[in-house]
């Protein structure tokens, strides 16, 4: 059965459309633009309880995880976290996770329904849990599905600290800092979206109670629309929406934050290292400003066109409270920043412009620079 949050039974919640990537949790609470404004200027709480959790424990949890995910975690301290990926053998992104290390356990939460390609000779898709179990071999680790134990809420906005303090959910100021909650679960500070964001992984049986505590403390109820609007503004990808089956970490800003360029051993590492050292990604994830005068907007998967040629792919499309209609798109790196673009289907094309602030700065590839020095 598809997941359905108990908060959808709270008066005022509006569910996401059935085919929406965030289906199963409230889309908004009656006024999505006011909810976004409050997230930017005050504090909101967003139900993200459809995310899935795994828990990895055992004395070799860090050394083993280091071998099977893209991030460097052998020294991941208790009370800290990070982001990580699982890649296929060609270095293409299959799963994105956020980690939290607390009390001898590493918690990994990911978008619902993600799958990875089996590393075994038979190949084929697997759940993340199945993939990790198959890679365990004789390592001293235990892996369990913790989705039934924990549910995720996100507190977002410049007034977040006041609300978190009122409910006893303080956490350190460093990005990805993790702290235990008094009745189970943990708080984790996130560097995105927006200016202040803290994830609360609360006991799933206490989800409604935590929601009430946070709203009673002054957080406004907001939906996934608000989270996505600020995520797009922050140029942060959502797996399976802003990525396709060819996406590599460099294209969407996941090198460094989720993929380590120097450590070896993990699947797809060769591509990550090669592109970092001697190449450049073929595409970049960019923010597009869309013409708001037509009544139509592009959809996820629609092409981005320049002079009739496809130069990109549309990902998340959202109405933002200040920026109007915006979208994330994977666009060829060679596309001029000031180009007049079109997006959408053939019968409903919409003008689009690249936000120049979203274009990543290009640094000389370390391998190329070293080779140039050798040539003198």
């Amino acid at each position: 059965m598809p997941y359905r949050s108990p908060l959808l039974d709270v008066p005022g919640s509006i569910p996401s459309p059935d085919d929406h990537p965030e289906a199963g949790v409230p889309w908004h609470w009656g006024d999505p633009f006011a909810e976004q404004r409050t997230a930017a200027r005050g504090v909101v709480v967003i139900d993200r309880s459809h995310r899935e959790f795994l828990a990895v424990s055992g004395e070799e949890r860090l050394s083993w995880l280091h071998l099977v995910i893209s991030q460097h975690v052998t020294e991941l301290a208790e009370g800290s976290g990070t982001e990580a990926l699982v890649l296929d053998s060609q270095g293409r992104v299959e799963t994105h996770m956020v980690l939290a290390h607390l009390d001898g356990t590493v918690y990994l939460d990911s978008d619902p329904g993600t799958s990875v390609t089996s590393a075994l000779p038979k190949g084929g898709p697997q759940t993340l849990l199945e993939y990790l179990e198959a890679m365990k071999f004789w390592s001293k680790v235990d892996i369990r599905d913790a989705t039934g134990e924990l549910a995720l809420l996100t507190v977002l906005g410049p007034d977040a600290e006041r609300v978190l303090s009122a409910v006893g959910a303080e956490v350190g100021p460093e990005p990805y800092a993790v702290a235990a909650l008094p009745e189970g679960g943990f708080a984790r500070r996130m560097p995105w979206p927006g200016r202040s964001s803290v994830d609360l992984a609360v006991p799933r049986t206490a989800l409604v109670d935590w929601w009430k505590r946070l709203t009673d403390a002054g957080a406004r109820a907001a939906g996934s629309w608000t989270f996505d609007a600020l995520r797009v503004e922050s140029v942060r990808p959502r797996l399976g929406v802003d990525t396709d089956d060819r996406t590599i970490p460099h294209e969407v800003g996941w090198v460094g934050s989720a993929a380590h360029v120097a450590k070896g051993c993990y699947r797809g590492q060769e591509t990550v290292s090669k592109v970092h050292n001697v190449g450049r990604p073929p595409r970049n994830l960019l923010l597009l400003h869309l013409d708001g005068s037509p009544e139509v907007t592009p959809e996820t998967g629609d092409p981005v066109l320049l002079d009739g040629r496809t130069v990109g792919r549309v990902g998340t499309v959202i109405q933002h409270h200040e920026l109007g209609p915006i979208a994330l798109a994977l666009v060829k790196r060679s596309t001029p920043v000031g180009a007049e673009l079109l997006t959408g289907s053939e019968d409903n094309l919409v003008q689009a412009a690249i936000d120049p602030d979203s274009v990543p700065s290009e640094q000389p590839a370390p391998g190329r620079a070293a080779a140039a020095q050798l040539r003198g």
Side-chain angles (χ1 to χ4, degrees), residues 228-299:
D228 280 341
L230 272 66
R231 176 180 61 77
V232 171
E233 181 185 9
S234 301
V235 196
R236 296 284 183 160
R238 203 290 196 180
L239 184 78
V241 179
D242 302 303
T243 65
D244 58 18
D245 58 5
R246 297 183 293 119
T247 301
I248 59 175
H250 315 69
E251 296 179 316
V252 292
W254 275 335
V255 168
S257 64
H260 199 276
V261 297
K263 86 177 187 89
C265 302
Y266 65 93
R267 186 171 70 174
Q269 181 269 340
E270 295 86 354
T271 297
V272 172
S273 180
K274 183 176 181 180
V275 174
H276 174 75
N277 284 295
V278 298
R280 292 189 175 94
R283 303 175 294 177
N284 287 319
L285 186 71
L286 303 176
L287 176 64
L288 300 184
H289 294 273
L290 307 176
D291 182 2
S293 55
E295 295 182 358
V296 296
T297 56
E299 297 181 356

Side-chain angles (χ1 to χ4, degrees), residues 1-10 13-29 46-51 112 151-153 204 207 223-224 238:
M1 290 289 291
Y3 175 74
R4 185 180 188 280
S5 171
L7 293 173
L8 287 171
D9 295 325
V10 176
S13 66
I14 307 298
S16 303
D18 289 342
D19 59 350
H20 195 277
E22 314 304 339
V25 295
W27 192 25
H28 62 85
W29 293 77
I46 300 170
D47 179 10
R48 301 175 64 216
S49 60
H50 56 331
R51 286 180 66 81
L152 197 69
L153 298 172
R204 189 166 288 275
L207 174 63
S224 63
R238 203 290 196 180

Side-chain angles (χ1 to χ4, degrees), residues 40-365:
R41 303 167 190 170
V43 56
V44 301
V45 56
I46 300 170
D47 179 10
R48 301 175 64 216
S49 60
H50 56 331
R51 286 180 66 81
E52 298 174 353
F53 279 87
L54 297 179
V56 180
S57 57
E59 61 182 271
E60 294 181 353
R61 61 189 179 279
L62 294 181
S63 59
W64 173 77
L65 274 171
H66 188 78
L67 298 175
V68 296
I69 62 177
S70 64
Q71 190 56 283
H72 196 298
V73 295
T74 54
E75 300 176 1
L76 186 67
E78 289 262 358
S80 67
T82 187
E83 298 179 50
L85 309 169
V86 172
L87 309 176
D88 71 6
S89 59
Q90 303 301 312
R92 297 171 293 208
V93 177
E94 295 197 316
T95 295
H96 173 263
M97 302 162 283
V98 188
L99 279 60
H101 189 196
L102 187 69
D103 295 335
T105 299
V106 179
Y107 296 93
L108 302 79
D109 59 281
S110 58
D111 291 314
T114 56
S115 65
V116 299
T117 303
S118 172
L120 300 178
K122 64 178 182 180
Q126 295 179 303
T127 66
L128 180 58
L129 176 60
E130 291 170 337
Y131 173 77
L132 295 179
E133 283 285 0
M135 299 298 291
K136 188 167 64 173
F137 301 110
W138 298 278
S139 299
K140 296 177 182 178
V141 296
D142 293 305
I143 311 165
R144 72 177 189 275
D145 185 346
T147 305
E149 303 170 24
L150 297 171
L152 197 69
L153 298 172
T154 294
V155 179
L156 182 60
D159 289 343
E161 303 308 315
R162 173 180 57 81
V163 168
L164 292 170
S165 178
V167 298
E170 294 95 342
V171 64
E174 303 83 9
Y176 307 107
V178 175
L181 294 175
E183 299 163 25
F186 58 85
R188 176 183 60 211
R189 188 171 299 279
M190 293 295 294
W192 58 273
R195 287 181 287 172
S196 180
S197 178
V198 173
D199 289 340
L200 300 181
V202 304
R204 189 166 288 275
T205 54
L207 174 63
V208 176
D209 180 61
W210 268 99
W211 180 268
K212 188 175 187 303
R213 289 189 219 176
L214 292 162
T215 53
D216 286 350
R220 178 174 186 157
S224 63
W225 186 333
T226 290
F227 187 88
D228 280 341
L230 272 66
R231 176 180 61 77
V232 171
E233 181 185 9
S234 301
V235 196
R236 296 284 183 160
R238 203 290 196 180
L239 184 78
V241 179
D242 302 303
T243 65
D244 58 18
D245 58 5
R246 297 183 293 119
T247 301
I248 59 175
H250 315 69
E251 296 179 316
V252 292
W254 275 335
V255 168
S257 64
H260 199 276
V261 297
K263 86 177 187 89
C265 302
Y266 65 93
R267 186 171 70 174
Q269 181 269 340
E270 295 86 354
T271 297
V272 172
S273 180
K274 183 176 181 180
V275 174
H276 174 75
N277 284 295
V278 298
R280 292 189 175 94
R283 303 175 294 177
N284 287 319
L285 186 71
L286 303 176
L287 176 64
L288 300 184
H289 294 273
L290 307 176
D291 182 2
S293 55
E295 295 182 358
V296 296
T297 56
E299 297 181 356
T300 298
D302 280 347
V304 178
L305 303 172
L306 173 61
D307 298 330
R309 296 179 293 107
T310 296
V311 295
R313 171 196 178 276
V314 173
T316 305
V317 181
I318 203 82
Q319 291 283 346
H320 189 279
H321 72 106
E322 286 185 339
L323 302 177
I326 55 176
L328 292 179
L330 279 168
V331 179
K332 286 184 178 179
R333 190 174 55 82
S334 59
T335 304
V337 174
E340 296 182 1
L341 304 175
L342 294 174
T343 67
S345 61
E346 291 184 2
D347 297 331
N348 295 298
L349 292 176
V350 178
Q351 290 183 321
I354 296 171
D355 187 320
D357 291 337
S358 71
V359 179
S361 59
E362 288 196 354
Q363 303 296 328

